[in-house]
Amino acid sequence: MTETNINSLGQPIGFSMPEWISPLLPSKLPMEGRFCRVELLDADLHAADLYAANSLDVLGKMWTYMPYGPFESLNEYEAWMKRTCTGSDPLFFAIIDKSSDKPVGAASYLRIDSSVGCIEVGHLSYSPLLQRKPAATEAMYLMMQRAFQQGYRRYEWKCDSLNEKSRAAAARLGFSFEGIFRQATIYKQRSRDTAWHAVIDSDWPALEEAFKQWLDPSNFDELGIQKIRLADLTAPIISKR
C-alpha cells in the first residue's frame, strides 16, 4: 500500500518529499553489458545493418503493433530514422550484439518528465537476430538501470492491450500491470486500448539483483541455455507489491 500522511484538515495526502531533486535528462553515453552494448542511434552508422536484420522478419510481424513500419526499402527506413530518431525525446538507442558488433535492434526513452522523475521505455524494434536472446533482456536491464541510477523514480512500459507478447515481456522484466486505458489512441487507422505497466524506484533494488542473477555466466550452460528463468526470479517480487 502506498504510504500516506494526514494534513491539517484531516485529509490523506501523499508522503512528503522535501529533499526531492529532479534528475538530469538521460545520459547519451553507451551502456555496456556482457552480451550487448546500447549506444545512441545514428542513422549513418546503424540504418543499413538494422534494415538488413529487420528484413529477416519476412512477414513483418515485428511491426504489427508499432505506429510505423514495415519499411519497403533502406532509403525509406533511413529517411524515417533521420526524421524521427534524432531528437532528445524520444531518445533512441541502437542495441549492438557484441558477438558480431552489429546493431540488431533499437529502443528509446520517451515521455521523459524529469521534473517528477518519470520516464518510459518504448519503440522497441527487435530483429530476429535479437528476439529471445540474452542480449534482448540485457538491453532492457541496462536501460532500466541507468534510469534509476540517474534518479528517476518511475519507469513505464506501455503497449497495445492486444499485444500479448509485449505484456508478457513486461511481466517477465518485473513491471507491474497498472490497468487499461480504453481507446487511448489511434494508429495505422485502428483504435488502440493501451496497457500500462511500471517499475518504481523502491522496486528496483530487488529487481536489479534478479537481473544480475539471471545474467550471471553461471546461469547459462555450455550451449548458452538459461538454467533459471528470469520470470521465476521476478514473479515473487511482483507478487509482494
Side-chain angles (χ1 to χ4, degrees):
M1 181 178 294
T2 302
E3 179 185 346
T4 58
N5 294 319
I6 303 297
N7 70 6
S8 60
L9 301 174
Q11 298 165 310
I13 57 174
F15 62 87
S16 179
M17 299 183 63
E19 298 179 0
W20 164 252
I21 298 175
S22 299
L24 298 175
L25 292 175
S27 170
K28 297 180 180 180
L29 294 175
M31 294 166 257
E32 293 283 348
R34 186 163 72 94
F35 299 102
C36 72
R37 179 176 68 257
V38 182
E39 65 185 32
L40 198 64
L41 188 67
D42 184 320
D44 294 328
L45 291 176
H46 301 131
D49 287 327
L50 277 175
Y51 182 77
N54 294 339
S55 295
L56 297 174
D57 175 17
V58 294
L59 298 178
K61 286 186 175 182
M62 62 181 285
W63 303 108
T64 298
Y65 297 106
M66 304 290 276
Y68 42 78
F71 298 91
E72 298 299 323
S73 67
L74 172 58
N75 286 341
E76 181 186 352
Y77 182 57
E78 188 171 8
W80 167 83
M81 191 178 287
K82 289 182 176 180
R83 185 173 64 250
T84 308
C85 306
T86 58
S88 57
D89 189 351
L91 180 61
F92 275 85
F93 292 89
I95 301 168
I96 312 298
D97 181 353
K98 282 196 166 182
S99 65
S100 65
D101 203 36
K102 297 282 189 180
V104 291
S108 80
Y109 294 128
L110 68 156
R111 296 186 178 90
I112 303 163
D113 189 347
S114 59
S115 67
V116 296
C118 184
I119 190 169
E120 182 178 340
V121 63
H123 292 287
L124 273 64
S125 54
Y126 279 14
S127 79
L129 296 178
L130 181 59
Q131 294 168 15
R132 302 183 68 83
K133 300 292 177 61
T137 298
E138 185 178 56
M140 292 297 94
Y141 162 66
L142 292 171
M143 293 184 71
M144 198 184 308
Q145 179 187 54
R146 171 162 291 177
F148 286 118
Q149 284 181 342
Q150 283 201 237
Y152 285 84
R153 59 193 299 263
R154 178 176 168 84
Y155 193 78
E156 297 180 333
W157 175 297
K158 299 170 192 161
C159 62
D160 190 312
S161 65
L162 299 176
N163 188 347
E164 294 182 359
K165 288 186 176 180
S166 182
R167 294 179 66 175
R172 174 178 175 270
L173 293 168
F175 287 79
S176 291
F177 172 63
E178 296 186 335
I180 302 290
F181 281 46
R182 298 178 299 162
Q183 296 184 186
T185 190
I186 297 172
Y187 73 117
K188 292 182 175 176
Q189 296 183 311
R190 61 179 186 251
S191 180
R192 173 176 129 164
D193 293 355
T194 296
W196 284 50
H197 309 77
V199 172
I200 61 174
D201 51 4
S202 59
D203 302 330
W204 177 240
L207 277 182
E208 184 172 32
E209 288 305 311
F211 278 113
K212 287 180 177 178
Q213 183 178 346
W214 188 83
L215 288 165
D216 191 276
S218 65
N219 190 43
F220 296 89
D221 65 19
E222 62 277 3
L223 298 177
I225 299 174
Q226 65 181 352
K227 298 176 183 178
I228 302 173
R229 300 188 313 154
L230 181 61
D232 292 335
L233 299 173
T234 57
I237 298 171
I238 296 173
S239 67
K240 290 180 181 178
R241 294 174 188 163

